[in-house]
Amino acid sequence: RPKRTEIVSLYVAPPENGTILALDELGPVIPRCFLPTAGWSADGHRIKAPLEYSRGMEKVWVYGALRVRDGHEVTLTARSRNTVGYVRLLDAVEQANPCGHLYLISDNLSSHKSPPVQEWLGVHPRVHHVFIPTGACWLNLQEGWWRLFRHEAFAGQTFADGEEIDNITCLATHMLNHRAKPWIWGRPP
């Protein structure tokens, strides 16, 4: 499988003067509002409040780029998953990595191949896109970082609106970057 081999080769032996980044989107993250916990009744029994499963109309997508060599992450939030958000991520990735060639490993989505993205790549020749084959999301190391992020940012939280999700995304990314370590492909020897 040449495409999978190419991606694993980038992780294992990155090109000299090259930076490998894994890009992906998480979401939609939806604000959830839960009723306050019930108190106790006069006779000492716990009051059982009905669960509320309604969700607001507001959705937030989290765009992320994991720099494999040191484990640092760039995240952005957007209200939709589209080409505009992806180009914003590409701009942020380029600013965070000003030197050398960038190899971006990402999913094979239409928003990643759209004309505005192709124009952006034409203006930035040091950025190279490598697409993961369909059905091989396990090749994207960003998926593993999302697991850490969800645990850090979302576990046991209730969000009232998208702005709270924006704030917790920045905070969790900062905390995870503070203790970041290189991501190594495969098992340790």
Side-chain angles (χ1 to χ4, degrees), residues 21-101:
L21 294 116
L23 282 67
D24 197 19
E25 299 89 13
L26 174 69
V29 180
I30 302 169
R32 295 182 182 178
C33 299
F34 298 98
L35 296 173
T37 56
W40 293 87
S41 67
D43 62 357
H45 290 88
R46 185 173 59 87
I47 298 172
K48 294 181 175 78
L51 294 175
E52 182 185 344
Y53 291 104
S54 65
R55 299 177 179 183
M57 295 300 293
E58 191 172 6
K59 297 176 183 174
V60 177
W61 289 88
V62 182
Y63 289 85
L66 172 68
R67 190 168 52 211
V68 175
R69 74 167 177 248
D70 60 6
H72 277 80
E73 178 82 14
V74 172
T75 56
L76 299 170
T77 56
R79 296 305 181 252
S80 62
R81 178 181 177 184
N82 57 19
T83 300
V84 174
Y86 193 69
V87 170
R88 278 184 52 226
L89 178 65
L90 294 176
D91 285 332
V93 164
E94 191 197 25
Q95 289 175 5
N97 301 283
C99 300
H101 288 271

Side-chain angles (χ1 to χ4, degrees), residues 124-180:
H124 302 88
R126 69 185 193 98
V127 179
H128 310 280
H129 234 159
V130 181
F131 293 108
I132 293 173
T134 304
C137 65
W138 52 271
L139 287 171
N140 195 340
L141 293 179
Q142 178 66 36
E143 298 290 348
W145 193 88
W146 284 139
R147 182 177 175 269
L148 299 174
F149 176 76
R150 278 191 223 104
H151 179 73
E152 188 77 31
F154 301 142
Q157 301 293 321
T158 300
F159 302 105
D161 57 15
E163 190 173 313
E164 285 188 3
I165 295 171
D166 297 342
N167 293 337
I168 198 68
T169 297
C170 290
L171 179 63
T173 302
H174 177 73
M175 292 172 67
L176 287 167
N177 281 342
H178 184 68
R179 59 179 190 262

